[in-house]
Amino acid sequence: MSKLSVAKFGGTSVANFDAMSLCANIVTNDPNTRVVVLSASAGVTNYLVELANGCEKERRDEILEAVRTIQCNIIDKLAEPSSVRAEIDTVLAHIKSLAESASLATSAALADELICQGEMMSTKIFTQLCKERGYPAVWLDVRELIATDSQFGKAAPNDEKTKAQSDALLKPLIAEGKVAITQGFIGRDEEGKTTTLGRGGSDYSAALLAEVLDADDVLIWTDVPGIYTTDPRVAPAAKRIDTMAFNEAAEMATFGAKVLHPATLLPAVRSNIPVYVGSSKAPEQGGTWVTRDPQPRPTFRAIALRRNQTLVTLSSLSMLHAKGFLANVFAILAKHNISVDVITTSEVSVALTLDKTGSASTGTDLLSPALLEELNDYCHVQVENDLALVAIIGNHLHTQAGVAKRLFHTLENYNIRLISYGASTNNVCTLVKNSEADEIVRSLHAALFE
């Protein structure tokens, strides 16, 4: 059997007709690419999230018109626009109806149904673009493939059912020589309701499909030619990393590097599927391969930045020499569907940041009045906002002499609110002021990589 690749294109790669045409060039020039996973056109998902959160009629109309404009600007440049315009009009009417419902009462299930419509539109338009080039493209609803639980906003896939459905629907298409164009980020639960895998979950969708198809690789096409030692917009001296390990890339993604979604790597690691990250706008520039054990493995690999973090400090004298305090705190957080991100402890307090990866969530959403009330009954709660997490990613950081000295010497002029060091061999995390984050990243990058 010939090589099989699953390609994923992000929102900026399908933002307009010219960008979408570049993606079509990549797909049609690579006979190994047999499945294409698309995000919504850039900006559309943010608009749909706003509608899902409920808004007044005047604002709803503004958003609907903005979404229509984004999609129609692409459709108008197709050779045969009429063939897809009616389908997009149907989706837009559905969005309008869902937005009206959300303005009366919001729900997580309604939000997922609404937010997914951006991918429905981008894939229909892209399928038509490929067909106009004589390419054997077939539009496929990914909800027929990826089965999930009912945790709306951050659904977990049912791997067994996903494989069965892909075997029945997707593999026959590929065997016929077709190229499947489908959506990222979306699934369906046991009751037939639309779910989403969390913001950025299109990468996850691509990796899941690659796994069930036994694909040779996953190609993540984005707006940058690979993964860099840090965000080049923050530190212009950042360098591209040619090869890196799964665990390094997972750490980078988890701590803010937006090139890959953290969960993408779960199916890839399980099945040892190489992941490539390249630019859809300049594929000739090359990119980064993420594999199981590339060489060399330097002490310092990259710096990741995640802004707008919330720090929650829980204090209680009853924690001193007591058993079960942390267990009770985590039970309360679990009850409210909150997962903890970074954590440090002392004898009478615990400080933690919260993991905010649900589709329509923000940091403040997570700290509901009910959660704060329950925590306050048990301990003193202090909440701090306007913080950023800077993570130094590398290898064997806890066994290398001099690592702490190099880091803390560079950070000596800044106020560090939290440090997590030693829990992982691959990262050192620091929580700093948002306003100082860029400067800190540049200083660390200069000290470690330049």
Side-chain angles (χ1 to χ4, degrees):
M1 182 178 173
S2 62
K3 186 178 176 184
L4 192 159
S5 299
V6 175
K8 176 262 176 178
F9 294 93
T12 55
S13 296
V14 292
N16 52 50
F17 180 81
D18 291 339
M20 209 177 257
S21 296
L22 292 174
C23 298
N25 291 343
I26 290 171
V27 172
T28 56
N29 289 334
D30 181 6
N32 296 324
T33 296
R34 310 300 301 280
V35 179
V36 179
V37 175
L38 296 189
S39 297
S41 297
V44 170
T45 299
N46 288 338
Y47 280 131
L48 297 180
V49 168
E50 188 175 346
L51 291 176
N53 289 331
C55 48
E56 297 296 323
K57 184 179 185 306
E58 184 177 347
R59 180 58 183 157
R60 288 203 309 274
D61 291 343
E62 286 177 7
I63 292 173
L64 286 165
E65 187 55 38
V67 171
R68 181 185 297 276
T69 299
I70 290 170
Q71 307 295 210
C72 287
N73 284 343
I74 305 173
I75 294 170
D76 290 343
K77 294 185 178 180
L78 291 169
E80 298 177 30
S82 59
S83 58
V84 73
R85 196 185 302 278
E87 292 183 80
I88 300 304
D89 284 341
T90 299
V91 176
L92 288 166
H94 186 43
I95 291 172
K96 182 179 181 181
S97 173
L98 292 169
E100 289 170 354
S101 298
S103 70
L104 299 174
T106 61
S107 75
L110 175 61
D112 276 5
E113 176 65 29
L114 208 166
I115 292 167
C116 84
Q117 301 305 318
E119 279 75 11
M120 294 295 159
M121 292 187 287
S122 65
T123 49
K124 287 178 183 292
I125 296 170
F126 188 75
T127 302
Q128 177 60 25
L129 178 60
C130 289
K131 284 180 176 178
E132 290 179 0
R133 297 181 175 210
Y135 208 63
V138 176
W139 185 85
L140 197 59
D141 189 335
V142 80
R143 293 174 294 190
E144 301 289 335
L145 304 175
I146 294 182
T148 74
D149 62 13
S150 300
Q151 190 178 342
F152 300 102
K154 195 181 176 184
N158 178 327
D159 296 331
E160 192 174 312
K161 189 172 180 182
T162 296
K163 179 167 176 53
Q165 293 180 164
S166 297
D167 286 348
L169 294 171
L170 187 54
K171 282 188 176 179
L173 278 177
I174 294 172
E176 292 171 15
K178 306 293 186 185
V179 176
I181 312 295
T182 194
Q183 308 78 35
F185 168 69
I186 307 166
R188 178 176 283 158
D189 72 2
E190 288 284 351
E191 296 181 2
K193 292 181 179 178
T194 299
T195 58
T196 63
L197 307 178
R199 294 298 293 271
S202 294
D203 293 352
Y204 195 4
S205 304
L208 283 168
L209 294 177
E211 184 177 42
V212 298
L213 291 170
D214 298 317
D216 294 276
D217 48 40
V218 181
L219 311 175
I220 306 291
W221 295 103
T222 179
D223 56 354
V224 290
I227 301 173
Y228 281 68
T229 46
T230 196
D231 187 339
R233 292 168 298 186
V234 176
K239 304 175 182 71
R240 187 176 71 210
I241 304 165
D242 292 329
T243 60
M244 65 190 310
F246 284 128
N247 59 350
E248 295 171 326
E251 295 279 359
M252 284 190 69
T254 300
F255 291 110
K258 295 181 180 178
V259 177
L260 284 176
H261 184 265
T264 302
L265 300 170
L266 296 179
V269 171
R270 275 195 309 243
S271 299
N272 194 22
I273 302 171
V275 176
Y276 177 79
V277 180
S279 169
S280 61
K281 296 174 182 176
E284 71 284 353
Q285 290 184 13
T288 301
W289 278 102
V290 185
T291 59
R292 179 166 286 174
D293 188 27
Q295 296 299 329
R297 299 285 287 273
T299 300
F300 298 107
R301 179 66 91 180
I303 301 167
L305 170 63
R306 195 165 64 196
R307 304 180 196 273
N308 303 317
Q309 299 297 287
T310 299
L311 179 67
V312 181
T313 304
L314 310 173
S315 306
S316 173
L317 290 175
S318 63
M319 183 179 172
L320 187 64
H321 305 308
K323 298 174 183 176
F325 180 85
L326 279 178
N328 290 331
V329 165
F330 277 87
I332 294 171
L333 293 171
K335 175 183 171 184
H336 291 269
N337 244 351
I338 304 296
S339 60
V340 172
D341 196 6
V342 178
I343 180 169
T344 61
T345 65
S346 75
E347 289 184 332
V348 294
S349 64
V350 53
L352 50 89
T353 63
L354 306 180
D355 183 17
K356 45 178 182 178
T357 53
S359 297
S361 72
T362 65
T364 51
D365 291 341
L366 296 175
L367 293 169
S368 65
L371 169 60
L372 290 173
E373 183 179 352
E374 196 163 345
L375 287 172
N376 272 310
D377 287 342
Y378 188 62
C379 55
H380 174 71
V381 181
Q382 178 185 350
V383 178
E384 298 172 58
N385 295 303
D386 202 28
L387 297 167
L389 192 69
V390 176
I392 296 89
I393 313 298
N395 293 282
H396 308 296
L397 293 173
H398 68 326
T399 61
Q400 299 276 358
V403 167
K405 179 181 178 181
R406 291 183 70 181
L407 297 181
F408 297 136
H409 175 70
T410 306
L411 297 170
E412 66 180 346
N413 295 321
Y414 303 99
N415 176 40
I416 308 302
R417 185 62 189 84
L418 174 150
I419 298 168
S420 177
Y421 183 22
S424 167
T425 65
N426 293 109
N427 76 63
V428 178
C429 293
T430 61
L431 200 62
V432 302
K433 294 178 182 177
N434 259 334
S435 59
E436 295 179 341
D438 286 8
E439 189 179 336
I440 287 171
V441 168
R442 283 191 289 271
S443 297
L444 284 168
H445 195 273
L448 303 179
F449 298 101
E450 297 171 36

